[in-house]
Amino acid sequence: MSTTAVTTARIVRSITELREHIRQYRLQAGPSAAVGLVPTMGFLHAGHASLIRRSAEENGLTVVSVFVNPLQFGPNEDFECYPRDEARDVAIASEAGANVLFMPEVTEMYPNPPKTSVIVSGITERLCGASRPGHFDGVGIVVSKLLNIVQPNRAYFGMKDAQQVAVITRMASDLSMPVDIVPCPIVRDSDGLALSSRNVYLSADERSQALILSQTLKLVPSWVEEGIAAAELTRRIRERIQSQPLSDIDYVEALEYPDLTPPAAGASLRTLLHQHPLLVAVAVRFGKTRLIDNILLTQKG
Amino acid sequence: MSTTAVTTARIVRSITELREHIRQYRLQAGPSAAVGLVPTMGFLHAGHASLIRRSAEENGLTVVSVFVNPLQFGPNEDFECYPRDEARDVAIASEAGANVLFMPEVTEMYPNPPKTSVIVSGITERLCGASRPGHFDGVGIVVSKLLNIVQPNRAYFGMKDAQQVAVITRMASDLSMPVDIVPCPIVRDSDGLALSSRNVYLSADERSQALILSQTLKLVPSWVEEGIAAAELTRRIRERIQSQPLSDIDYVEALEYPDLTPPAAGASLRTLLHQHPLLVAVAVRFGKTRLIDNILLTQKG
């Protein structure tokens, strides 16, 4: 096989078949078996591809799930029109090194409405948890299910949804799930826009104005270095974002990471960084499209 | 080795060591590997022994966990004085065929107060869920953890706590946990009293009067056969239990199983049995000791 040949990932739709495939792999691979899971809602982009590539480097078998999970969408959100393109997903995932694509129907994942909730309190009340009630309950159950079905050694999540990473890491730890949750860096377009399946909704004007998010977040490290507090930081961020007339801010927050608690009022964020990483996260609508972006600051040296 | 020789089960206190032991077993046993888990709070009796024996028959490795889980006790319950006897537990579990006894400290299971809850709604609002607020949240998290740590093929639970079996079965199904939840029959003393670690609390008088529970539940099938409704059935049960002066009824309920929904008012339970199993469950205090017992009726032929 030449190094440029791409083997198309196997498409699996049933939980039983997926489990059997993974069982066979583990039996054959023996003690060195390692399974990576990349959970996605499909409509894959280079951000997803970076997770898949990382998993393929670190594991003998990489499973990519493509499942638009109805339980994590609110009643007025975009579940029905969330972008889907299965053939494209198969091509991108295969190219990036996926071995198996798990693409279940909703009825396969939820044969009955679940009575069980997996709730992570404390971490889910702010940011997207506040803007999207029930969202993280839906994430909790679907990620629990995927982890229980695949039983991966490692599961890969993009830091664009930093709160999701915090929630899932805490859930896995609290429930003693035998998996490493691997956070991966945000992937950006050449103009700085964080990649998102929802970017396809943006008009040319909206997209151009949305660049204010990454441009503003880039300034955060130097602002923090000035010794300002969270209130001043978020004021400056809001001011810059609001300079774009199509922007409609949902939230701008600076929180300790990964517990997502607010810093003491008035405290210097520069000083705080000695003790905790700091997440600065924004959610902003441009037209009907809600975008999120963030920067995670950690103490260096 | 003679057939009467008993190998003492290996005692394991750390999650890491337990996982490694199970991993080694699975590697050696290969495709026929099968792990059974019997979760207990210790102070083992013949009821636990029956679960352990069943697991030892059906699996190559049987893990018995002994952990008095603080999260499933209410603030005014008996966590501190819950009976404990480790040496006796080791002897009973080994005799019944346990290979590994997992006996973690509270700090091993909960290094931090968990932020994650696993809640099964609908099934947990009645019976012990109503009498013991938070009890099933504590059960949900500890059973999730034990299942994630051991990853057993089968987990064994006694039907004395029928609601717990219903809750855990539903949780495992909703979360796609790769385990068979195996319900096992109630084990009774020769006088009919359902075995419970809490029976040691009973005075001679209390114990003698507590026999009314099993004696009354034995009459349930013939009463149901008369075509009576739930209200009349629970009235008769209450009346008989109250004939014992030391009894103090917490609940007496007849519910469809496993969803634990009340039958339609006035409906004949005999007719109902054509569609659903029927759980008749009681919780009664004798002195300070709260006992539970039940009978599960299913349609025959």
Side-chain angles (χ1 to χ4, degrees), chain A residues 19 27 31 113-121 141 144-145 148-149 151 170-171 174-178 259, chain B residues 19 27 31 112-121 141 144-145 148-149 151 170-171 174-178 259:
Chain A
R19 282 193 167 130
L27 280 174
K115 296 189 176 194
T116 306
S117 330
V118 182
I119 294 166
V120 183
S121 59
I141 193 165
S144 293
K145 283 177 80 86
N148 286 329
I149 292 166
Q151 301 193 283
R170 182 70 193 219
M171 174 186 82
D174 279 348
L175 299 184
S176 303
M177 291 176 164
D259 281 352
Chain B
R19 283 193 166 129
L27 280 175
N112 301 297
K115 297 188 176 196
T116 307
S117 331
V118 181
I119 293 166
V120 183
S121 60
I141 193 165
S144 293
K145 284 178 79 85
N148 286 329
I149 293 166
Q151 300 194 283
R170 182 69 192 220
M171 174 186 82
D174 278 348
L175 299 184
S176 303
M177 291 176 163
D259 282 350

Side-chain angles (χ1 to χ4, degrees), chain A residues 213-235:
Chain A
L213 302 185
S214 57
Q215 287 163 2
T216 306
L217 290 172
K218 259 195 204 165
L219 301 172
V220 165
S222 62
W223 284 341
V224 167
E225 198 47 43
E226 289 178 29
I228 61 175
E232 171 61 12
L233 178 69
T234 55
R235 192 196 63 73

Side-chain angles (χ1 to χ4, degrees), chain A residues 233-251:
Chain A
L233 178 69
T234 55
R235 192 196 63 73
R236 292 185 191 182
I237 295 171
R238 286 178 168 275
E239 189 175 73
R240 287 191 73 96
I241 293 174
Q242 283 162 349
S243 72
Q244 300 302 311
L246 296 176
S247 72
D248 174 15
I249 292 177
D250 178 358
Y251 63 73

Side-chain angles (χ1 to χ4, degrees), chain A:
Chain A
M1 203 192 306
S2 96
T3 52
T4 54
V6 170
T7 308
T8 300
R10 174 176 176 152
I11 296 172
V12 174
R13 309 231 177 239
S14 92
I15 294 171
T16 307
E17 186 190 343
L18 180 60
R19 282 193 167 130
E20 180 55 24
H21 187 85
I22 294 166
R23 199 180 70 84
Q24 291 294 340
Y25 161 73
R26 287 200 180 276
L27 280 174
Q28 282 162 26
S32 69
V35 176
L37 171 65
V38 182
T40 83
M41 298 209 302
F43 211 71
L44 303 181
H45 51 61
H48 300 108
S50 75
L51 307 180
I52 298 168
R53 265 196 301 277
R54 170 104 183 250
S55 173
E57 281 165 18
E58 297 179 349
N59 303 278
L61 185 81
T62 289
V63 178
V64 176
S65 61
V66 173
F67 180 63
V68 185
N69 173 34
L71 297 190
Q72 71 191 70
F73 288 79
N76 299 315
E77 292 184 0
D78 56 349
F79 172 68
E80 290 299 338
C81 64
Y82 193 86
R84 291 161 169 92
D85 187 339
E86 200 168 294
R88 195 166 151 276
D89 288 345
V90 173
I92 292 174
S94 300
E95 167 73 36
N99 306 107
V100 177
L101 271 169
F102 178 49
M103 299 177 135
E105 296 291 326
V106 172
T107 51
E108 177 71 5
M109 288 294 278
Y110 303 117
N112 303 297
K115 296 189 176 194
T116 306
S117 330
V118 182
I119 294 166
V120 183
S121 59
I123 307 183
T124 53
E125 283 81 354
R126 297 175 165 272
L127 306 179
C128 292
S131 313
R132 305 180 67 187
H135 170 68
F136 281 111
D137 299 355
V139 170
I141 193 165
V142 79
V143 175
S144 293
K145 283 177 80 86
L146 290 168
L147 291 173
N148 286 329
I149 292 166
V150 175
Q151 301 193 283
N153 300 72
R154 304 179 187 88
Y156 299 81
F157 294 87
M159 277 299 284
K160 187 164 79 73
D161 195 338
Q163 184 174 22
Q164 177 173 272
V165 172
V167 167
I168 291 169
T169 304
R170 182 70 193 219
M171 174 186 82
S173 162
D174 279 348
L175 299 184
S176 303
M177 291 176 164
V179 61
D180 282 340
I181 302 299
V182 183
C184 300
I186 298 176
V187 176
R188 299 181 181 280
D189 233 328
S190 55
D191 57 10
L193 186 68
L195 294 189
S196 163
S197 304
R198 290 187 171 100
N199 290 351
V200 295
Y201 297 150
L202 296 167
S203 71
D205 269 5
E206 288 163 357
R207 191 190 153 99
S208 147
Q209 296 197 17
L211 300 182
I212 192 68
L213 302 185
S214 57
Q215 287 163 2
T216 306
L217 290 172
K218 259 195 204 165
L219 301 172
V220 165
S222 62
W223 284 341
V224 167
E225 198 47 43
E226 289 178 29
I228 61 175
E232 171 61 12
L233 178 69
T234 55
R235 192 196 63 73
R236 292 185 191 182
I237 295 171
R238 286 178 168 275
E239 189 175 73
R240 287 191 73 96
I241 293 174
Q242 283 162 349
S243 72
Q244 300 302 311
L246 296 176
S247 72
D248 174 15
I249 292 177
D250 178 358
Y251 63 73
V252 172
E253 289 207 62
L255 299 170
E256 295 173 15
Y257 192 84
D259 281 352
L260 303 190
T261 42
S268 155
L269 297 178
R270 187 181 56 195
T271 309
L272 180 91
L273 268 182
H274 296 296
Q275 277 144 7
H276 298 282
L278 181 73
L279 178 73
V280 181
V282 303
V284 180
R285 277 193 183 71
F286 290 87
K288 292 188 170 173
T289 307
R290 182 175 173 281
L291 301 179
I292 57 175
D293 201 348
N294 70 74
I295 183 170
L296 181 66
L297 282 76
T298 51
Q299 180 69 14
K300 284 180 194 103

